[in-house]
Amino acid sequence: MSCAPELEPDGSTVAQSIRMLKEVIDGDTYETVAARFGVSRTAVERRIKAIAVQLSQVADIDGLNEDGAAFVRRLRLHRDAILTALVDFDPRRPVEHRSSRIVSMDEIIQAGKRIKGRSNRAMA
Protein backbone atom coordinates (compact mmCIF):
# COMPACT_ATOMS: atom_id res chain seq x y z
CA MET A 1 0.00 0.00 0.00
CA SER A 2 1.45 3.35 -1.06
CA CYS A 3 1.30 6.48 1.04
CA ALA A 4 1.97 8.69 -1.98
CA PRO A 5 -0.64 11.36 -2.62
CA GLU A 6 -3.13 10.74 -5.43
CA LEU A 7 -1.96 12.53 -8.56
CA GLU A 8 -4.08 14.31 -11.11
CA PRO A 9 -3.29 13.95 -14.83
CA ASP A 10 -0.98 16.99 -14.71
CA GLY A 11 0.99 15.52 -11.80
CA SER A 12 -0.51 17.74 -9.09
CA THR A 13 -2.13 16.34 -6.00
CA VAL A 14 -5.88 16.07 -5.56
CA ALA A 15 -5.46 17.27 -1.98
CA GLN A 16 -3.87 20.48 -3.25
CA SER A 17 -6.77 21.04 -5.66
CA ILE A 18 -9.22 20.54 -2.80
CA ARG A 19 -7.30 23.11 -0.72
CA MET A 20 -7.52 25.52 -3.66
CA LEU A 21 -11.28 24.94 -3.89
CA LYS A 22 -11.70 25.61 -0.17
CA GLU A 23 -9.73 28.85 -0.40
CA VAL A 24 -11.77 30.07 -3.36
CA ILE A 25 -15.12 29.29 -1.73
CA ASP A 26 -13.84 31.04 1.40
CA GLY A 27 -13.51 34.22 -0.66
CA ASP A 28 -10.02 34.27 -2.14
CA THR A 29 -9.68 35.07 -5.85
CA TYR A 30 -8.15 32.73 -8.38
CA GLU A 31 -5.22 35.14 -8.63
CA THR A 32 -4.59 35.12 -4.88
CA VAL A 33 -4.72 31.33 -4.70
CA ALA A 34 -2.51 31.02 -7.79
CA ALA A 35 0.14 33.22 -6.21
CA ARG A 36 -0.01 31.24 -2.97
CA PHE A 37 0.47 27.91 -4.77
CA GLY A 38 2.91 29.19 -7.40
CA VAL A 39 0.73 28.29 -10.39
CA SER A 40 -1.21 30.25 -12.99
CA ARG A 41 -4.70 31.62 -12.45
CA THR A 42 -5.93 29.33 -15.21
CA ALA A 43 -4.43 26.29 -13.49
CA VAL A 44 -6.29 27.14 -10.29
CA GLU A 45 -9.54 27.67 -12.15
CA ARG A 46 -9.26 24.38 -14.04
CA ARG A 47 -8.29 22.40 -10.98
CA ILE A 48 -11.04 23.65 -8.69
CA LYS A 49 -13.66 23.27 -11.42
CA ALA A 50 -12.53 19.68 -12.03
CA ILE A 51 -12.86 18.88 -8.32
CA ALA A 52 -16.19 20.75 -8.07
CA VAL A 53 -17.63 18.89 -11.07
CA GLN A 54 -16.51 15.56 -9.67
CA LEU A 55 -17.99 16.48 -6.29
CA SER A 56 -21.28 17.53 -7.88
CA GLN A 57 -21.48 14.11 -9.55
CA VAL A 58 -21.17 12.15 -6.32
CA ALA A 59 -22.72 14.47 -3.73
CA ASP A 60 -26.33 15.55 -3.76
CA ILE A 61 -25.90 19.29 -3.30
CA ASP A 62 -29.24 20.96 -3.97
CA GLY A 63 -28.81 23.64 -6.63
CA LEU A 64 -25.30 22.63 -7.66
CA ASN A 65 -24.84 20.55 -10.79
CA GLU A 66 -21.96 20.09 -13.23
CA ASP A 67 -22.83 23.33 -15.05
CA GLY A 68 -23.10 25.30 -11.82
CA ALA A 69 -19.73 24.05 -10.64
CA ALA A 70 -18.14 26.26 -13.29
CA PHE A 71 -19.14 29.48 -11.52
CA VAL A 72 -17.32 30.78 -8.44
CA ARG A 73 -20.41 32.65 -7.28
CA ARG A 74 -22.47 29.46 -7.29
CA LEU A 75 -19.71 27.54 -5.53
CA ARG A 76 -19.60 30.19 -2.82
CA LEU A 77 -23.39 30.09 -2.44
CA HIS A 78 -23.10 26.36 -1.69
CA ARG A 79 -20.01 26.69 0.47
CA ASP A 80 -21.37 24.87 3.54
CA ALA A 81 -22.79 21.98 1.52
CA ILE A 82 -19.52 21.65 -0.42
CA LEU A 83 -17.46 21.59 2.77
CA THR A 84 -19.79 18.95 4.23
CA ALA A 85 -19.60 16.86 1.04
CA LEU A 86 -15.79 17.10 1.00
CA VAL A 87 -15.60 15.27 4.34
CA ASP A 88 -16.60 11.96 2.71
CA PHE A 89 -15.33 12.79 -0.78
CA ASP A 90 -13.14 10.14 -2.38
CA PRO A 91 -11.92 11.43 -5.76
CA ARG A 92 -10.65 7.97 -6.69
CA ARG A 93 -14.11 6.42 -6.43
CA PRO A 94 -15.59 5.98 -9.92
CA VAL A 95 -18.62 8.07 -10.70
CA GLU A 96 -21.73 6.06 -11.45
CA HIS A 97 -23.20 7.23 -14.71
CA ARG A 98 -26.89 7.21 -15.37
CA SER A 99 -28.06 4.43 -17.58
CA SER A 100 -28.73 5.38 -21.17
CA ARG A 101 -32.35 5.61 -22.15
CA ILE A 102 -33.40 3.86 -25.33
CA VAL A 103 -35.31 6.22 -27.57
CA SER A 104 -38.34 4.83 -29.39
CA MET A 105 -38.84 5.12 -33.14
CA ASP A 106 -41.84 7.42 -32.51
CA GLU A 107 -39.62 9.79 -30.50
CA ILE A 108 -37.05 9.83 -33.31
CA ILE A 109 -39.73 10.60 -35.91
CA GLN A 110 -41.17 13.37 -33.70
CA ALA A 111 -37.71 14.88 -33.19
CA GLY A 112 -37.12 14.83 -36.94
CA LYS A 113 -40.38 16.65 -37.51
CA ARG A 114 -39.43 19.32 -34.97
CA ILE A 115 -36.04 19.82 -36.57
CA LYS A 116 -37.55 20.01 -40.04
CA GLY A 117 -40.15 22.53 -38.84
CA ARG A 118 -37.49 24.78 -37.33
CA SER A 119 -34.98 24.52 -40.15
CA ASN A 120 -34.60 27.39 -42.59
CA ARG A 121 -33.39 24.97 -45.26
CA ALA A 122 -36.00 22.94 -47.10
CA MET A 123 -35.29 19.25 -47.30
CA ALA A 124 -36.39 17.12 -50.21
Side-chain angles (χ1 to χ4, degrees):
M1 183 169 160
S2 172
C3 293
E6 188 72 20
L7 295 179
E8 292 182 347
D10 67 354
S12 58
T13 66
V14 172
Q16 189 177 62
S17 296
I18 291 171
R19 284 195 310 273
M20 289 176 179
L21 171 61
K22 287 178 179 180
E23 291 182 16
V24 167
I25 63 174
D26 281 342
D28 286 343
T29 65
Y30 288 145
E31 291 82 5
T32 302
V33 175
R36 191 173 298 129
F37 284 88
V39 295
S40 70
R41 179 206 178 282
T42 303
V44 171
E45 183 176 2
R46 286 182 183 158
R47 288 172 64 176
I48 70 161
K49 285 180 182 179
I51 291 292
V53 165
Q54 196 175 359
L55 188 62
S56 74
Q57 293 171 340
V58 297
D60 187 22
I61 299 174
D62 190 33
L64 184 67
N65 56 23
E66 289 183 48
D67 296 330
F71 300 101
V72 173
R73 183 174 171 273
R74 187 151 316 150
L75 292 173
R76 288 179 179 156
L77 284 172
H78 295 90
R79 179 188 175 277
D80 292 338
I82 289 170
L83 292 174
T84 300
L86 281 171
V87 171
D88 297 321
F89 179 57
D90 181 359
R92 295 167 298 184
R93 187 177 347 159
V95 176
E96 294 178 23
H97 294 284
R98 296 180 196 161
S99 62
S100 299
R101 184 169 89 74
I102 298 174
V103 182
S104 71
M105 185 54 78
D106 288 338
E107 291 173 305
I108 293 170
I109 292 168
Q110 189 65 26
K113 288 178 182 177
R114 276 192 227 121
I115 292 168
K116 185 177 180 182
R118 294 179 180 156
S119 176
N120 61 359
R121 297 178 62 169
M123 294 180 64

